[in-house]
Amino acid sequence: MTEYAIQPVPPMSIRFDAGAATLSPEGPTLTRRMSDLEGLFRDGDAWRTAVADGDPVVYSVVSSPVPELDRELPQSITTIEAGSTGGEFWMTKGHQHPNHQGEIYLGVAGVGGLLMFDGTDTRWLDMAPGVIGYIPPGWAHRSVNVGDAPYSFLAVYPGGAGHDYGWVLEHGMGRRVLADAAGGHRFVDCRTGEPA
């Protein structure tokens, strides 16, 4: 007997098209522009210039119809466009799950990374197609596109986990991911700006 307080989602099949980075049937879609990322880039002047110069789309999230409710396992595909602002690679806002739930990401296209921070320790996982990144409970996480093409990943997470974006604004992510002179990426400490 099911103990749902609300109507459960019926069994369904969801088509995952890795080449197109889509889910079908499709649920809600979220688009984040540069103006939605206020306070996240270290160079505030470069951020304001990017907003004034067309306010580009930085990333989008396509969700399946599975809702963000307790006991459900929603899925989404996030695509981060290639680019940098003030030398800092484009990224998601980043969040922590207030209910301290784990999550997995599967790299689908392009190259990026998964930056995680637990308030003390910072970790980085290189992500590419076929790589699964595991995010343990209690770790804030942000995805970063470190390539020259869009970076996409599939996320699967507990529906009741919640998304606390304010935690990242308050505590940061420990490190920032910047372009280096050789065409790769480097890390700097969020507080000191020194290499990390």
Side-chain angles (χ1 to χ4, degrees):
M1 179 178 211
T2 304
E3 298 177 13
Y4 281 90
I6 60 165
Q7 182 65 32
V9 174
M12 70 174 78
S13 72
I14 299 168
R15 182 159 179 75
F16 166 52
D17 185 333
T22 60
L23 297 171
S24 180
E26 186 177 298
T29 298
L30 170 71
T31 300
R32 296 251 194 234
R33 295 185 168 276
M34 186 62 69
S35 58
D36 298 315
L37 305 180
E38 184 174 4
L40 298 180
F41 289 94
R42 73 178 185 156
D43 187 336
D45 290 337
W47 173 81
R48 282 185 284 283
T49 298
V51 170
D53 191 24
D55 196 15
V57 172
V58 176
Y59 67 97
S60 60
V61 183
V62 176
S63 300
S64 78
V66 177
E68 291 187 351
L69 298 172
D70 280 341
R71 299 184 176 194
E72 300 289 0
L73 284 174
Q75 314 88 40
S76 62
I77 297 177
T78 299
T79 299
I80 307 170
E81 301 300 325
S84 65
T85 298
E88 190 169 2
F89 282 112
W90 284 5
M91 59 193 157
T92 61
K93 289 180 84 167
H95 61 270
Q96 184 182 59
H97 297 302
N99 293 334
H100 296 288
Q101 301 287 320
E103 185 170 4
I104 61 167
Y105 286 178
L106 169 65
V108 173
V111 292
L114 182 51
L115 183 65
M116 294 179 278
F117 184 55
D118 70 354
T120 304
D121 191 13
T122 304
R123 299 289 177 96
W124 172 263
L125 300 177
D126 289 315
M127 296 292 292
V131 174
I132 295 174
Y134 174 62
I135 304 158
W139 287 74
H141 42 287
R142 163 182 288 156
S143 291
V144 183
N145 183 343
V146 297
D148 55 7
Y151 163 58
S152 298
F153 61 91
L154 171 73
V156 180
Y157 54 96
H163 295 84
D164 185 352
Y165 298 100
W167 192 94
V168 171
L169 285 171
E170 182 179 345
H171 300 281
M173 290 296 297
R175 295 181 189 162
R176 295 184 177 279
V177 187
L178 307 177
D180 69 15
H185 61 277
R186 63 188 176 93
F187 303 100
V188 295
D189 186 279
C190 280
R191 290 165 299 198
T192 67
E194 296 296 318

